[in-house]
Amino acid sequence: MGGIEVLEISLVVNGQIAAGYAEGRTLLVHFLRETLGLTGTHVGCDTSQCGCCVVHVDGCAVKSCTMLALEADGSDVVTIEGVAQPDGTLSPVQRAFVDHYALQCGFCTPGMVMSATALLKDNPKPTVEEIRVYLEGNLCRCTGYRNIVRAVLTASGQALGEFESEHT
Ligand code: FES
Ligand code: FES
């Protein structure tokens, strides 16, 4: 009987070349967490529903539990650890999440921040509806989403006035 085959893969993660071994069945999220030690990317379900595992692969938001590590070979990956500046300055989305109390337990937050960051890259001034639709794949068990919408609006530089008058 042969052993389980493992293959070496190499990718760029948060601007650094990262290499490691993965089985054919290894999911990207497990490679990031267990091989590279990047535990900011969370696993919140086994049904691809929660969005806690969202990272950026070649500039696109991806649920990393839905992608094999081998498929990411050669890709450019950004995880939550790569979002802040090297000196620790939070990104505008991270700052807005803090300022608007858009997290409680924080378990969903890495995925929320990665998804919201991808949204604002593609659509710098989203409407409230567009924010809600884009974040449909990210579940939060704590906040009720209202402060998350506030945070994304703020990170996009939009005033909260209309949102506040409609949601008070
Ligand atoms: Fe829940 Fe990936 S861990 S969607
Ligand atoms: Fe707890 Fe979102 S802050 S799940």
Side-chain angles (χ1 to χ4, degrees), residues 79-155:
T79 69
I80 190 67
E81 288 89 348
V83 170
Q85 297 296 315
D87 67 359
T89 303
L90 298 180
S91 74
V93 172
Q94 288 175 308
R95 183 75 257 162
F97 268 62
V98 172
D99 291 346
H100 288 284
Y101 306 103
L103 61 148
Q104 289 180 27
C105 78
F107 198 84
C108 71
T109 308
M112 285 286 184
V113 167
M114 298 311 289
S115 290
T117 301
L119 166 63
L120 297 186
K121 183 166 74 73
D122 293 344
N123 181 0
K125 301 287 180 199
T127 65
V128 169
E129 187 59 22
E130 286 170 336
I131 294 169
R132 291 194 187 283
V133 168
Y134 197 91
L135 295 181
E136 258 181 3
N138 291 80
L139 304 182
C140 177
R141 297 161 180 83
C142 304
T143 65
Y145 302 100
R146 180 173 157 167
N147 285 356
I148 290 172
V149 174
R150 276 196 180 114
V152 178
L153 282 170
T154 297

Side-chain angles (χ1 to χ4, degrees), residues 5-6 8 11 13-14 18 23-24 30 43 54 56 67 78 88 99 112 125 132 145 147 150 159 164:
E5 187 179 13
V6 292
E8 185 172 20
L11 46 166
V13 181
N14 301 330
E23 297 177 17
H30 293 137
V43 179
V54 171
H56 297 176
M67 186 172 189
V78 179
D99 291 346
M112 285 286 184
K125 301 287 180 199
R132 291 194 187 283
Y145 302 100
N147 285 356
R150 276 196 180 114
E164 299 293 27

Side-chain angles (χ1 to χ4, degrees), residues 19-41:
Y21 290 92
E23 297 177 17
R25 66 180 178 174
T26 303
L27 299 174
L28 177 59
V29 66
H30 293 137
F31 182 80
L32 293 170
R33 288 177 55 84
E34 293 158 22
T35 302
L36 302 184
L38 295 170
T39 55
T41 302

